Amino acid sequence: KVEVIHQDALEFLRKDRRQFDLILDDVFVGYARSIHKPRWLPRPGFRLAKRRLKEGGVLVSNALAEAKYLQRGMQELFPGLLRLRVPDFENQILVAGQLAALEILEQASSKQLNGIKVERPGSVGTLLPRSITDSRWLRLAHL
């Protein structure tokens, strides 16, 4: 069963108490070349999203220029992190969760993933806080 929730993501994460197998962050603000993540990601957004994950659940974040910043936030919260690089796109997909949940993705071949490269990124240090200013939406799914 897949459930798509389209509303203010930060408000949803703060108020809703349901738990999900997967949370997909595809939240951006701005327009065209000025598009970026809202200031509440990764903090407090990823911490709130982690609370909404079931045991063994996975958080996926679509990132652009701020990928390293988001990676730091995920590494502080999750034992496992993978980065997916899509050929011919500047997007990076960050996948965080328990190590066992990520092993299947890590073992998939490039052919199975249509050329997407799976990497285990190194540590990028500690995360500085950001302020909360805006939000858009998240996709959440019961699997």
Side-chain angles (χ1 to χ4, degrees):
K1 174 183 172 189
V2 174
E3 178 180 359
V4 177
I5 299 167
H6 188 213
Q7 72 178 67
D8 183 290
L10 185 56
E11 179 183 336
F12 178 85
L13 290 172
R14 283 185 170 152
K15 293 181 179 178
D16 197 281
R17 295 294 172 236
R18 290 177 289 169
Q19 292 204 302
F20 301 88
D21 297 303
L22 169 71
I23 298 178
L24 173 61
D25 152 32
D26 196 24
V27 179
F28 290 96
V29 295
Y31 181 74
R33 293 181 186 241
S34 68
I35 196 168
H36 59 278
K37 288 292 188 187
R39 298 204 44 86
W40 57 268
L41 282 173
R43 284 190 185 157
F46 288 164
R47 189 173 316 275
L48 292 167
K50 183 179 180 185
R51 290 182 192 157
R52 302 283 70 82
L53 286 173
K54 291 181 182 177
E55 181 70 30
V58 175
L59 174 62
V60 178
S61 182
N62 182 15
L64 293 168
E66 64 281 305
K68 283 193 185 266
Y69 189 76
L70 299 175
Q71 177 182 325
R72 284 185 197 124
M74 289 178 139
Q75 285 175 324
E76 289 179 0
L77 296 171
F78 295 93
L81 178 69
L82 295 175
R83 178 176 48 224
L84 309 180
R85 294 187 184 266
V86 182
D88 303 321
F89 288 90
E90 63 182 276
N91 298 59
Q92 294 181 43
I93 311 301
L94 301 171
V95 183
Q98 298 297 318
L99 295 173
L102 303 180
E103 285 178 359
I104 296 168
L105 180 58
E106 192 172 29
Q107 293 172 4
S109 72
S110 180
K111 185 177 180 180
Q112 289 172 306
L113 297 172
N114 294 323
I116 295 172
K117 295 178 183 174
V118 178
E119 305 168 344
R120 188 177 291 270
S123 176
V124 288
T126 58
L127 181 65
L128 300 173
R130 293 175 78 181
S131 65
I132 302 169
T133 58
D134 53 12
S135 60
R136 291 293 185 260
W137 55 279
L138 287 180
R139 294 180 187 154
L140 302 109
H142 291 285
L143 300 176

